[in-house]
Amino acid sequence: MNRNKLLWTRNFRLITFATILSAIGGEAMVLPVSLLVFEKTQSTMASAIIMICGVLPDVLFSVLIAPMIDRSSRKKWVVFSNAAIAALYLVIGFYVLKNPFNLGVYAGFTLIIGTLSLFYRLAYQSWYPDLIAIGLEQKGYAVAGMIYPIVTIIMAPVAAFLYENLHIGYIFFIVTGITILAMVILGKIQETRKKSPVVFSFQQYRTDLREGFQYLKNEKGIRNIYTYMSVTNGASHGSYMITQAFYQTQPWLTVTMLGFLQSAELIGRTLAGVFQYRWEVPVKKRYALTKFVYTFYNVMDAALLFLSYPLMLANRFICGMLGSTTATIRHTAVQSYLPAEMRARVNAVFQVMFAAGMILFQFLAGWLGQRLSYPMVMIILASIGLTSMFLLIWIPDKENRPIYEATRKDETSLTVTTQTAYESAGSDERSDQGDGQN
């Protein structure tokens, strides 16, 4: 039977359409809010406060709420969080239409949206693998990997146009409608994995939380990969901030040219998604390709600000293609390796590490940028990424390789590789998953 037909089941079509709508709503909202905050305050610190409010829930709540998601219907959490987000958009829309700008209101709004979005992301990341046909994980994640670059390329100018021509309150109303439509579509998806009939209790919550940490304690390869990703994604966000400052301070560069630089990377990511959808990377070659790409990517980051503008565009285009390739490989491998009942808890720890890394490297890049030239800061950030890559990805071959070569056997069980690794780590503890190379 045609493999594409096996992938594009009713459930997969619905989750893809809902993901597109969610991406459109997010892009339509994030840029206008960031533009408004800076326009009203003329303060980069105010912009930083809004950014931190958006990721703070990831640090504070990810690990705490993950056991609840693992023990209940992921679909219900996804639908509920969309409903709550739509309701908040509607309320804030009416508020901003009748009241003057207030930074505290927008900080509080961003904090609440960040919390609701955290519920959505953890449930979505744990649910998504169950909606992909066995053996077609790379194709499925390739599709998901193309959505955000394409939506960003299209929606960035649209969001800017809406901001310039509409009161932001009306933008909130538009995004409310988009979010409700996504919620309705998500509600039509059929769950493919039945939950065990366990009554959730505080004692069970504590047990699940402990088991999540015990699993990570025993799985050094997962820890290696997630630690490296938190470093490289944090460094990538810091590098973007330095690149933006470089473009705003060099007489031969402009903000428009920076926009084209972003577009070059997004186009590269999109094309990589198309290639990965058509041609799958052999399981045995995933690990070797990942090590090569991570090395090459960090070197390209270090060299970026030393290049002429055409070479900068080529640099970001190539990095976009390579970064998307390893992102798909990592998602496919890690989500295949993780036990289905552990996904939310392990992904929650990643959310904490990712957010903490982003905050840390934003401050580090800002501090270094006040003292060193911007190209030198890029070299330092890339060197940190390169060093962590050798320590966490290259050297621990024995722990990392089984994860990159993992494949799913069915929707509810672990792969043979995962099962063996998990049991050998200690069966008596087992009582019961932008910008950079992400």
Side-chain angles (χ1 to χ4, degrees), residues 270-283:
T270 304
L271 289 178
V274 174
F275 291 145
Q276 291 169 88
Y277 181 79
R278 294 180 62 86
W279 299 286
E280 295 186 27
V281 177
V283 172

Side-chain angles (χ1 to χ4, degrees), residues 122-138:
L122 287 176
Y124 177 94
Q125 290 167 359
S126 301
W127 189 27
Y128 190 79
D130 294 334
L131 304 178
I132 303 175
I134 299 295
L136 298 176
E137 291 82 7
Q138 181 176 313

Side-chain angles (χ1 to χ4, degrees), residues 13 45-46 57 70 78 92 165 189 205 216 223-224 229-230 234 245 250 276 279 308 327 338 340 352 361 373:
R13 293 196 304 271
M45 182 55 68
D70 270 336
V78 168
I92 198 71
N165 292 276
I189 299 175
Y205 172 84
L216 283 173
R223 296 203 312 270
N224 288 339
M229 291 312 305
S230 67
Q250 298 300 307
Q276 291 169 88
W279 299 286
S308 64
L338 291 177
V352 173
F361 277 92
S373 68

Side-chain angles (χ1 to χ4, degrees), residues 265 268-269 271-272 275-276 316-325:
E265 182 167 351
R269 288 181 177 273
L271 289 178
F275 291 145
Q276 291 169 88
R316 291 299 91 186
F317 174 79
I318 295 171
C319 285
M321 291 193 68
L322 295 177
S324 178
T325 299

Side-chain angles (χ1 to χ4, degrees), residues 93-115:
F94 280 115
Y95 175 86
V96 298
L97 280 176
K98 298 181 179 180
N99 295 276
F101 174 84
N102 185 304
L103 180 62
V105 170
Y106 279 92
F109 160 75
T110 305
L111 187 65
I112 298 172
I113 282 291
T115 304

Side-chain angles (χ1 to χ4, degrees), residues 60-74 77 118-119 122-123 126 193 195-196 198-213 340-349 352 432:
L60 298 178
F61 306 130
S62 292
V63 176
L64 297 178
I65 66 177
M68 295 186 291
I69 293 175
D70 270 336
R71 279 284 173 180
S72 55
S73 166
R74 282 81 183 268
W77 280 111
L118 175 61
F119 277 92
L122 287 176
S126 301
R193 185 167 66 89
K195 299 300 297 179
S196 56
V198 177
V199 178
F200 190 81
S201 64
F202 181 70
Q203 182 61 39
Q204 186 64 59
Y205 172 84
R206 291 178 58 190
T207 300
D208 288 349
L209 198 60
R210 184 175 63 251
E211 287 176 353
F213 280 108
E341 68 274 11
M342 280 288 176
R343 287 185 195 138
R345 278 170 281 181
V346 176
N347 286 330
V349 175
V352 173
D432 71 358

Side-chain angles (χ1 to χ4, degrees), residues 80-274:
F80 167 77
S81 57
N82 264 267
I85 289 171
L88 182 58
Y89 280 148
L90 189 63
V91 171
I92 198 71
F94 280 115
Y95 175 86
V96 298
L97 280 176
K98 298 181 179 180
N99 295 276
F101 174 84
N102 185 304
L103 180 62
V105 170
Y106 279 92
F109 160 75
T110 305
L111 187 65
I112 298 172
I113 282 291
T115 304
L116 294 174
S117 297
L118 175 61
F119 277 92
Y120 174 85
R121 288 197 310 276
L122 287 176
Y124 177 94
Q125 290 167 359
S126 301
W127 189 27
Y128 190 79
D130 294 334
L131 304 178
I132 303 175
I134 299 295
L136 298 176
E137 291 82 7
Q138 181 176 313
K139 283 182 177 289
Y141 280 109
V143 172
M146 286 188 285
I147 290 174
Y148 286 94
I150 292 174
V151 169
T152 301
I153 291 171
I154 296 172
M155 284 303 300
V158 173
F161 174 82
L162 292 175
Y163 175 74
E164 291 174 351
N165 292 276
L166 288 178
H167 189 286
I168 196 168
Y170 295 115
I171 300 178
F172 276 111
F173 294 153
I174 292 172
V175 177
T176 298
I178 294 173
T179 306
I180 291 174
L181 181 57
M183 178 191 69
V184 171
I185 293 171
L186 289 166
K188 295 181 179 296
I189 299 175
Q190 295 180 343
E191 296 228 52
T192 58
R193 185 167 66 89
K194 294 183 178 179
K195 299 300 297 179
S196 56
V198 177
V199 178
F200 190 81
S201 64
F202 181 70
Q203 182 61 39
Q204 186 64 59
Y205 172 84
R206 291 178 58 190
T207 300
D208 288 349
L209 198 60
R210 184 175 63 251
E211 287 176 353
F213 280 108
Q214 186 64 52
Y215 177 81
L216 283 173
K217 179 181 177 181
N218 295 330
E219 290 289 348
K220 185 177 179 181
I222 293 291
R223 296 203 312 270
N224 288 339
I225 294 169
Y226 278 2
T227 302
Y228 173 69
M229 291 312 305
S230 67
V231 172
T232 191
N233 276 284
S236 181
H237 278 84
S239 295
Y240 176 75
M241 184 174 71
I242 293 300
T243 301
Q244 180 175 315
F246 184 77
Y247 269 70
Q248 290 180 298
T249 54
Q250 298 300 307
W252 59 283
L253 295 170
T254 67
V255 174
T256 301
M257 294 168 75
L258 177 64
F260 283 118
L261 191 73
Q262 291 178 269
S263 296
E265 182 167 351
L266 292 170
I267 292 170
R269 288 181 177 273
T270 304
L271 289 178
V274 174

